[in-house]
């Protein structure tokens, strides 16, 4: 073969013959051969073209180029380029033209012309060679599989995703070239495309490939069905793009978003730490442990500055999680001490406040904790752990603990991106943990305050059976301005108190505590209910004036202005009940038969606001009656617009409907009328009245004659013998003798002696005098003045209370052994 023939062969190899229409020109460039493909391409039948100059088939611009093209054909033994050929209907057809000279022996040259329609293409020959260059150099993996899903072609870029070179794939299926890949799922996708003909774009596949066996990768794949000329499917064309970085970035953002939603949903330190561990598994790690300083769990302030004594750092497990149930990698339970050896990475991170990462742990190295699941020095190989990160839990410049991340089932180690992600959401969690710690501290302080402001246990007394229920509106702190109290008084009586200070929280609680202390002090003076409220009103007004001169209106004195109070005194000897009201709801009374009424009580002004004087009412209560003292949160529902009368009616129905022990009844009433999170603070104090039997009280009317002192002593001794209290006879005779003698000496009118046995032995002497005796400390040379001094030494307590007719001096002795 000559050089000319070799060039012809090369030209034909470079030109794509698949869709070319051939025709033959003579030496004069006239058409001498016309094929069916040429007729299909340009529309001319052979009869209209044969013998015509080829230039007539071109547009004028390209026809003018014919002489130059012929010259180039002679020089280069052919020419390839673009020409616009006129279709029979007149429109131009942009065609790829290949002109090859054919030499005839002893005659002029002829020309073979190949026409390929570009269908309006952008001026470049999309020949097979051009397409092969484009696919071969593309960074996108490209492959074609037949209808049996066997490879028929792939480009070199596909090799980077595993499966070997293109020639190694031919005739094989995806599962054959990449056995570790989820080939079944990908082939199912290809079959759906073959059956439906619908193109699938950006199908994301996550897994491991041979090129990165220890790292999870993500690929975006697109699948297109290939069809023959009749529209029948012949295979699938697909592309693969590595989107691992985008996938990891999206996963990191999703994990951060999840952390923001799930960490810090409560103000409990342990729950917040557990939420941190739950978020990180399995999205970031296979095992996570959160260990906090012991002071953090208690809500206390961590010690500022770095720790010095590494052996004494008290860490406790606050939360942990694992991809395996029960967290078998640790033997430390939530709340238990997490002990780490001195100098180990956890301790160093705690001291330095810097994160630490180890891609590959030494499998034979001992685990850092001093306690292991098997009770021995376990290695990381025993625990199955191979990669670790330790991130200090730091908030507001203070280290609260450490969070340790391990990988076990996933083979890829932690990298810098993983550490950055861990630091970011541990940092978010640290703020939530510190907020929970601060809340724990404030709540504990508030609860201590509230426990000290409200009674823990009711005092022992025989006058009433009591029960109470308290429900604050501030659920977080448990602090409120409502209060109740049961105060034993002289003469076996008892005072029942319910009050309310405007506002909630610590300010209202402080004001409430101040008023409660004042009421208890006034109660010890044995004043009448209206006098107690009058003195309390003066106290609030004076405190408000003293504190109101400053700019701060949140002091307890200012908070107490407008407070309400109900003060009730019940006498179990007479069955009389006396009560007065300072702007407070009147109590409900349930008779022994179950009838419910509300006391008609004069409305007194709220404390500190001034107005009408306080008045009291007195009524007789049958034994077994129930007094229901409450704050307006139980009946008033201003938030829902209901009036107090409707609330009282609801309370009436609730009291009538339930017949059960007093303690259960009290809680049932609150549950029926008040939601779990009430709009206002609620306090309910219920008291069932008792009566002292006639056998528990002994009374004597005495003449104002010194001779009756001996008679009083004798009667007292006899009565104590009847009660079986002979051991108290000596001290009681002394008390009776001194009190009766003082009444005869310093008072006028009738004298009455009364003994009561209840929780204590009570001795009372009534006279018509208005002068109170005073305790004196006599010298050894004094002839008198020792009476009340002796009484104060031999009795548990003593005092004076006034009545409209005079006064009563009383003394109490415990019913055990006498006080000597």
């Amino acid at each position: 073969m000559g050089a000319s023939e070799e060039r012809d062969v090369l030209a034909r190899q470079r030109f794509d013959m698949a869709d070319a229409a051939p025709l033959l020109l003579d030496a004069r460039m006239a058409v001498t051969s016309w094929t069916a493909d040429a007729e299909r391409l340009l529309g001319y039948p052979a009869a209209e073209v044969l013998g015509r100059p080829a230039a007539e088939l071109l547009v004028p611009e390209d026809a003018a180029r014919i002489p130059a093209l012929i010259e180039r054909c002679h020089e280069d033994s052919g020419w390839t380029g673009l020409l616009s050929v006129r279709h029979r209907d007149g429109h131009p057809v942009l065609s790829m033209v290949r002109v090859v000279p054919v030499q005839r022996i002893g005659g002029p040259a002829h020309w073979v012309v190949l026409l390929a329609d570009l269908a309006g293409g952008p001026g470049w020959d999309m020949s097979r060679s051009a397409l092969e260059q484009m696919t071969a150099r593309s960074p996108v993996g490209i492959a074609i599989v037949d209808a049996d899903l066997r490879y028929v072609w792939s480009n070199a870029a596909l090799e980077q995703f595993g499966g070997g070179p293109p020639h190694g794939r031919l005739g094989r299926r995806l599962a054959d070239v990449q056995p570790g890949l989820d080939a079944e799922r990908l082939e199912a996708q290809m079959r759906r495309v073959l059956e439906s003909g619908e193109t699938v774009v950006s199908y994301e596949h996550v897994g491991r490939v041979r090129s990165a066996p220890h790292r999870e990768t993500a690929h975006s794949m697109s699948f297109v069905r290939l069809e023959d000329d009749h529209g029948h499917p012949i295979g699938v064309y697909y592309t693969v793009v590595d989107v691992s970085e985008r996938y990891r970035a999206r996963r990191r953002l999703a994990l951060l978003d999840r952390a923001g939603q799930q960490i810090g949903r409560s103000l409990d330190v342990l729950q917040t730490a557990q939420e941190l561990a739950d978020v990180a598994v399995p999205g970031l790690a296979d095992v996570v442990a959160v260990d906090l300083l012991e002071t953090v769990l208690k809500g206390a302030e961590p010690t500022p500055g770095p720790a010095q004594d590494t052996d004494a750092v008290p860490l406790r497990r606050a939360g942990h999680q694992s991809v395996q149930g029960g967290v078998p990698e640790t033997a430390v339970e939530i709340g238990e001490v997490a002990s780490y050896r001195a100098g180990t990475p956890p301790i160093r991170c705690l001291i330095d406040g810097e994160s630490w990462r180890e891609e590959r742990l030494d499998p034979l190295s001992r685990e850092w904790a001093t306690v292991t699941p098997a009770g021995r020095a376990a290695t990381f190989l025993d625990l199955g752990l191979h990669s670790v990160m330790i991130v200090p839990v730091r908030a507001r410049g203070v280290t609260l603990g450490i969070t340790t991340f391990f990988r076990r089932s996933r083979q890829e180690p932690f990298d810098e991106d993983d550490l950055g992600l861990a630091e970011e959401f541990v940092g978010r969690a640290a703020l939530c943990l510190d907020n929970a710690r601060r809340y724990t501290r404030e709540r504990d302080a508030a609860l201590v305050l509230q426990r000290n402001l409200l009674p823990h246990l009711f005092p022992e007394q025989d006058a009433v059976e009591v029960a109470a229920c308290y429900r604050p509106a501030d659920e977080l702190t448990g602090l409120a301005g409502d209060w109740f109290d049961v105060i034993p008084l002289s003469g076996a009586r008892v005072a029942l108190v319910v009050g309310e200070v405007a506002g909630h929280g610590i300010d209202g609680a402080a004001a409430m505590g101040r008023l409660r202390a004042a009421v208890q002090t006034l109660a010890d003076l044995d004043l009448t209910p209206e006098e107690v409220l009058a003195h309390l009103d003066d106290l609030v007004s004076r405190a408000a004036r003293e504190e109101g001169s400053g700019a701060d209106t949140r002091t307890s004195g200012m908070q107490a202005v407008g407070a309400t109070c109900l003060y009730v005194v019940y006498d179990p000897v007479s069955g009389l009940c006396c009560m007065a009201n300072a702007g407070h709801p009147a109590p409900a009374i349930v008779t022994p038969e179950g009838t419910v009424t509300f006391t008609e009580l004069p409305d007194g002004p709220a404390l500190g606001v001034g107005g009408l004087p306080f008045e009291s009412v007195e009524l007789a209560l049958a034994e077994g009656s129930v007094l229901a003292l409450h704050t307006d949160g139980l009946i008033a529902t201003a938030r829902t617009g209901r009036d107090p009368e409707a609330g009282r009616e609801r309370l009436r129905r609730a009291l009538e409907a339930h017949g059960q022990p007093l303690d259960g009844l009290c809680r049932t009433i609150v549950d029926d009328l008040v939601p779990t999170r009430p709009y206002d603070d609620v306090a309910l104090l219920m008291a069932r009245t008792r009566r002292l039997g006639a056998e528990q009280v002994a009374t004597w009317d005495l003449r104002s004659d010194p001779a009756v002192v001996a008679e009083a002593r004798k009667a007292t001794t006899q009565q104590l013998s009847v009660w079986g209290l002979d051991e108290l006879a000596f001290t009681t005779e002394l008390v009776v003798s001194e009190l009766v003698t003082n009444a005869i000496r310093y008072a006028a009118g009738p004298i009455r002696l009364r003994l009561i046995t209840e929780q204590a032995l009570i001795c009372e002497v009534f006279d018509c005098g208005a002068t109170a005796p005073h305790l004196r400390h006599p010298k050894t040379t004094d002839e008198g003045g020792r009476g009340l001094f002796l009484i104060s030494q031999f009795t548990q307590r003593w005092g004076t209370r006034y009545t409209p007719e005079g006064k009563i001096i009383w003394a109490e002795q415990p019913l055990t052994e006498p006080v000597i």
Side-chain angles (χ1 to χ4, degrees):
M1 181 183 296
S4 176
E5 292 177 342
E6 290 178 359
R7 285 194 298 270
D8 292 343
V9 173
L10 291 174
R12 284 193 292 272
Q13 288 178 345
R14 289 195 297 268
F15 191 81
D16 191 355
M17 296 287 294
D19 294 320
L23 60 147
L24 184 64
L25 304 179
D26 61 14
R28 295 179 293 108
M29 301 298 289
V31 179
T32 60
S33 175
W34 191 258
T35 64
D37 288 335
E39 182 177 350
R40 176 179 54 81
L41 181 63
L42 300 177
Y44 297 100
E48 294 183 8
V49 177
L50 292 175
R52 293 177 59 183
E56 294 182 2
L57 299 178
L58 302 175
V59 298
E61 295 82 1
D62 285 347
R65 298 168 55 196
I66 290 297
L69 294 179
I70 293 175
E71 184 177 352
R72 290 181 61 182
C73 286
H74 284 297
E75 294 176 354
D76 299 330
S77 298
W79 175 83
T80 301
L82 295 176
L83 293 175
S84 293
V85 185
R86 288 189 302 177
H87 193 272
R88 187 171 183 269
D89 61 11
H91 77 271
V93 178
L94 182 64
S95 302
M96 188 69 194
V97 179
R98 173 62 59 91
V99 181
V100 180
V102 179
Q103 297 293 335
R104 297 182 64 183
I105 300 175
H110 283 58
W111 307 93
V112 175
V113 179
L114 301 175
L115 298 176
D117 182 11
L118 292 184
W124 176 249
D125 180 10
M126 294 298 180
S127 63
R128 177 175 182 138
S129 61
L131 290 173
E132 287 181 347
Q133 293 178 55
M134 181 178 68
T135 56
R137 298 175 182 175
S138 172
V140 178
I142 306 173
I144 298 176
V145 297
D146 61 17
D148 293 327
L149 305 184
R150 296 184 180 277
Y151 283 98
V152 296
W153 179 87
S154 64
N155 69 342
L158 192 64
E159 186 176 351
Q160 65 180 305
F161 303 104
H167 67 270
R169 294 174 180 267
L170 295 178
R172 305 173 69 186
R173 292 177 57 170
L174 186 59
D176 300 328
V177 298
Q178 289 185 276
L181 199 65
D182 189 3
E184 184 176 348
R185 184 156 59 96
L186 294 176
E187 288 189 347
Q189 190 69 35
M190 296 181 193
R191 289 191 183 94
R192 282 193 291 270
V193 173
L194 274 174
E195 294 170 1
S196 66
E198 296 180 359
T199 299
V200 175
V201 179
S202 299
Y203 174 80
E204 192 169 274
H205 174 264
V206 180
R208 289 180 174 85
V209 296
R210 287 187 175 181
S211 58
H214 300 307
R215 189 171 186 83
E216 196 173 53
T217 56
H219 303 110
S220 177
M221 306 180 69
S222 297
F223 302 89
V224 181
R225 186 170 77 173
L226 299 178
E227 302 172 349
D228 60 15
D229 292 341
H230 302 288
H232 298 147
I234 60 174
V236 174
Y237 161 88
Y238 73 84
T239 61
V240 185
V241 178
D242 191 336
V243 293
S244 298
E245 289 303 320
R246 185 177 68 188
Y247 167 75
R248 294 189 188 100
R250 189 171 67 245
R251 189 177 64 175
R252 286 193 292 269
L253 290 175
L255 188 59
L256 287 174
D257 181 65
R258 183 181 170 208
Q261 293 179 0
Q262 297 190 14
I263 298 177
R265 293 177 295 180
S266 73
L267 288 172
D268 181 83
V269 174
L270 289 178
Q271 183 174 340
T272 303
Q274 187 60 48
E275 289 168 352
L276 168 58
D278 292 341
V279 165
V281 175
L284 178 61
D286 299 322
V287 182
V288 173
V290 182
D291 300 318
L292 300 177
L293 294 172
E294 193 168 11
T295 54
V296 174
L297 295 180
K298 296 178 179 179
E301 288 288 343
T303 303
Q308 299 297 329
D309 187 1
T310 56
D311 290 324
V313 177
L315 285 173
R316 287 192 178 270
R317 180 61 46 85
H320 55 208
Q321 189 55 271
S322 171
V323 292
Q324 300 190 87
V327 196
E329 297 83 0
T330 180
V332 182
E333 298 299 326
I334 303 297
E336 293 182 351
V337 174
S339 299
Y340 293 100
R341 298 184 181 92
T344 57
I347 297 298
R348 292 200 304 267
C349 290
L350 184 68
I351 295 174
D352 300 338
E354 299 291 336
S355 300
W356 180 79
R357 176 176 64 92
E358 186 72 25
E359 290 189 4
R360 292 295 177 188
L361 287 166
D362 181 357
L364 299 181
S365 176
R366 290 185 177 182
E367 202 263 340
W368 303 313
T370 57
V371 179
T372 64
R376 58 184 175 82
T379 64
F380 289 112
L381 180 62
D382 297 329
L383 300 175
L385 307 175
H386 65 85
S387 188
V388 66
M389 297 185 299
I390 304 178
V391 179
V393 181
R394 289 181 58 82
R396 300 177 175 94
V398 177
T399 301
L400 308 177
I402 56 172
T403 303
T404 309
F405 303 83
F406 289 103
R407 278 190 176 162
R408 174 175 183 160
S409 56
R410 280 180 291 185
Q411 294 302 311
E412 64 267 26
F414 290 117
D415 57 19
E416 284 296 331
D417 290 339
D418 293 326
L419 181 60
L421 176 62
E423 288 177 334
E424 187 163 351
F425 78 78
V426 168
R428 296 186 182 187
L431 289 175
C432 297
L433 283 168
D434 194 50
N435 289 337
R437 177 193 65 79
R438 290 167 179 257
Y439 166 73
T440 300
R441 180 189 62 191
E442 298 301 327
R443 177 174 170 79
D444 288 347
L447 291 177
V448 169
L449 174 62
Q450 191 74 1
R451 282 194 296 267
N452 284 277
L453 291 178
L454 291 176
H456 301 284
L457 298 173
F458 293 117
E460 294 184 3
Q461 42 80 36
D462 291 338
V464 291
E465 174 194 356
V466 291
C469 185
Y470 189 82
R471 184 167 295 177
D474 192 337
E475 185 182 21
L476 292 178
T477 64
L479 292 174
D482 293 8
W483 88 92
F484 56 87
D485 222 335
V486 177
I487 307 171
L489 302 176
S490 64
R493 299 168 307 138
V494 66
L496 306 173
V497 188
V498 170
E500 179 176 3
V501 173
H504 314 291
I506 195 166
D507 298 314
M512 174 268 285
R514 187 171 182 175
L515 287 181
R516 179 172 180 251
V519 170
Q520 290 179 332
T521 301
L522 293 171
D524 283 342
L525 299 178
D526 265 326
L527 302 175
T528 60
E530 68 272 17
E531 290 176 320
V532 169
L533 294 183
H535 284 291
L536 195 61
D537 181 69
D538 291 339
L539 175 67
V540 171
S541 298
R542 184 169 62 253
R545 286 193 302 269
E546 294 173 354
E547 298 174 0
S549 57
D552 187 2
T553 60
R554 296 173 58 85
T555 58
S556 59
M558 297 300 294
Q559 286 281 113
V561 173
T564 64
C565 184
L566 175 66
Y567 190 87
V568 178
V569 175
Y570 174 69
D571 187 345
V573 177
S574 64
L576 295 178
C577 179
C578 184
M579 63 184 72
N581 163 37
H584 202 82
I589 299 177
V590 185
T591 65
E593 295 77 23
T595 303
V596 179
T597 60
F598 288 89
T599 307
E600 295 295 331
L601 191 61
D603 289 330
L607 300 175
V609 301
L612 299 175
F614 299 101
E615 298 182 43
S616 63
V617 296
E618 189 175 69
L619 60 155
L621 296 179
E623 185 175 11
S625 300
V626 175
L627 282 164
L629 288 72
H630 57 85
T631 56
D632 62 3
L634 188 68
I635 60 171
T637 52
R639 190 178 187 184
T640 56
R642 297 189 204 137
D643 58 85
E645 286 301 322
R648 289 174 63 168
E649 185 59 32
R650 292 173 61 235
L651 176 58
R652 181 199 306 273
R653 291 195 299 268
L655 289 170
E656 290 175 343
H658 301 289
Q660 54 183 300
L662 200 60
D663 186 60
L665 175 62
C666 190
R667 184 162 296 278
T668 299
I669 295 299
V670 173
D671 290 340
D672 285 353
L673 302 182
V674 180
T676 305
R677 300 183 64 179
Y679 168 71
D680 194 9
D681 305 323
V682 175
L684 174 62
L685 176 65
M686 303 187 75
R688 179 174 282 118
T689 61
R690 297 170 177 159
R691 293 289 295 272
L692 296 183
E695 70 281 0
Q696 292 179 272
V697 182
T699 305
W700 297 274
D701 290 323
L702 305 176
R703 306 182 311 277
S704 183
D705 184 350
V708 302
V709 175
E711 298 174 8
R713 287 199 301 267
K714 181 178 179 180
T716 297
T717 302
Q718 293 174 349
Q719 185 61 51
L720 292 180
S721 179
V722 173
W723 286 341
L725 300 175
D726 295 314
E727 67 276 9
L728 298 179
F730 175 76
T731 55
T732 307
E733 282 187 26
L734 174 63
V735 170
V736 168
S737 178
E738 292 296 333
L739 294 182
V740 172
T741 300
N742 283 342
I744 294 173
R745 180 176 300 175
Y746 299 110
I751 301 172
R752 184 179 302 112
L753 169 65
R754 184 169 72 169
L755 297 179
I756 303 173
T757 175
E758 184 223 21
Q759 296 289 327
L761 176 62
I762 304 170
C763 177
E764 296 181 339
V765 174
F766 165 81
D767 62 53
C768 297
T771 304
H774 297 283
L775 178 65
R776 294 169 55 190
H777 296 274
K779 300 176 183 179
T780 56
T781 56
D782 290 343
E783 296 182 0
R786 294 181 174 85
L788 290 180
F789 177 78
L790 293 174
I791 291 175
S792 67
Q793 297 299 307
F794 288 126
T795 61
Q796 182 174 345
R797 62 177 189 147
W798 71 279
T800 304
R801 71 174 182 270
Y802 291 90
T803 67
E805 297 82 13
K807 68 177 183 295
I808 296 175
I809 304 177
W810 55 270
E812 291 184 4
Q813 300 177 74
L815 293 182
T816 55
E817 58 186 26
V819 179
I820 299 180

